[in-house]
Amino acid sequence: MSDKWKEQTVAVAIDGPSGAGKSTIAKLLAKELQFIYVDTGALYRAIGYMALRRGISLQDAAGIEALLPDLRVEIRYMDGSQRVLVNGEDVSDKIRTPDVSMAASAVSSLPAVRRFLLDLQRDMAKTNNVIMDGRDIGTVVLPDARVKIFLTASAEVRARRRFEELKEKGVPTTYDEVLADMEKRDYDDSHRAAAPLKAAEDAILVDTSSLDLDGAVSAIKAVVEKALG
Ligand code: DC
């Protein structure tokens, strides 16, 4: 990574557990700053979805690894919103179910899967100003990101938000189920050996538990504007 590259593009990394509001906030902010929003969770979801679709057990690490050479994963933008394509098929709408959330978490613990998706994420930041959200953006994917934010909120608040989102989409589930899934995903994502969810040393911590969306967006915007100068 040359210094010239660093001068040319600006990256804002937003990491944190699921349901902290990363994608909603990052999307709004990207629009304001005219940056490209990159949702990296969608990439892990796409792999998890393909594993489920091919009937590969989520415990079968070798089976999931063997699937990777068959997959061509691409990010495209349509009307300003990110779409994820696998072998030319747009899977963006199919990867938002609770089953795919759990599958994404499972496949994301495999180093081979993380390696497989690394260049795609870095390439996005090489050629665009990005706001990228995920779990390891500030620590692994873009360690030189100009701004690093670690966004969090209590598990109860995050589960409540996610439950309302799923309810709105008509996905049948209960708050208790969402909370249990979220606690399991939090635990697995932060305890895996490969790129566990953790704040980068130079990340700014923002807790959105007691903030509404406007409050959270303003808090993050202030941090980003200060850092970008
Ligand atoms: O952000 P999300 O809920 O769509 O992410 C789905 C899963 O993918 C999540 O359980 C953890 C994993 N993930 C990851 O390991 N690294 C990232 N950069 C983004 C997501």
Side-chain angles (χ1 to χ4, degrees):
M1 219 184 283
S2 74
D3 284 341
K4 191 162 166 250
W5 176 87
K6 282 187 217 161
E7 278 162 25
Q8 282 172 342
T9 55
V10 173
V12 176
I14 303 188
D15 290 303
S18 50
K22 295 187 303 287
S23 64
T24 313
I25 294 170
K27 252 184 237 166
L28 287 169
L29 215 57
K31 215 175 213 170
E32 279 197 36
L33 295 170
Q34 297 201 312
F35 279 24
I36 286 194
Y37 166 58
V38 186
D39 164 13
T40 63
L43 305 174
Y44 292 92
R45 286 173 179 274
I47 309 280
Y49 169 71
M50 291 307 292
L52 291 179
R53 200 160 101 174
R54 300 264 177 105
I56 301 170
S57 157
L58 298 174
Q59 275 77 51
D60 179 5
I64 293 167
E65 221 176 304
L67 168 72
L68 298 176
D70 284 351
L71 305 181
R72 187 167 44 86
V73 181
E74 294 169 272
I75 294 179
R76 292 217 191 130
Y77 288 85
M78 284 176 209
D79 301 323
S81 76
Q82 174 184 307
R83 313 295 296 179
V84 176
L85 283 76
V86 181
N87 299 339
E89 179 189 345
D90 186 340
V91 298
S92 314
D93 298 329
K94 297 174 184 149
I95 58 175
R96 297 292 157 194
T97 65
D99 280 356
V100 176
S101 298
M102 297 312 279
S105 182
V107 301
S108 74
S109 69
L110 303 176
V113 170
R114 307 202 70 83
R115 266 197 310 277
F116 179 74
L117 294 173
L118 190 57
D119 285 345
L120 174 59
Q121 298 170 79
R122 287 191 175 154
D123 286 348
M124 294 301 296
K126 258 182 215 161
T127 43
N128 304 285
N129 289 333
V130 293
I131 295 194
M132 192 175 283
D133 86 22
R135 305 294 189 286
D136 62 338
I137 309 306
T139 49
V140 176
V141 179
L142 304 174
D144 292 335
R146 184 85 68 86
V147 190
K148 296 182 188 178
I149 291 167
F150 194 83
L151 200 64
T152 188
S154 71
E156 289 73 18
V157 167
R158 291 185 287 116
R160 174 66 55 198
R161 289 177 188 160
R162 184 52 58 93
F163 172 62
E164 297 299 338
E165 250 173 56
L166 291 170
K167 205 166 73 177
E168 217 161 88
K169 284 188 198 158
V171 178
T173 186
T174 63
Y175 167 76
D176 287 341
E177 223 168 59
V178 175
L179 179 63
D181 276 4
M182 191 157 274
E183 283 173 339
K184 172 166 173 23
R185 275 215 287 157
D186 281 358
Y187 183 87
D188 291 348
D189 292 347
S190 353
H191 288 81
R192 66 185 178 212
L197 167 67
K198 67 166 197 267
E201 273 176 19
D202 49 351
I204 296 158
L205 256 80
V206 180
D207 188 322
T208 66
S209 300
S210 61
L211 298 174
D212 61 7
L213 181 61
D214 284 349
V217 172
S218 312
I220 305 287
K221 203 174 146 193
V223 168
V224 172
E225 281 176 349
K226 190 165 170 227
L228 296 183

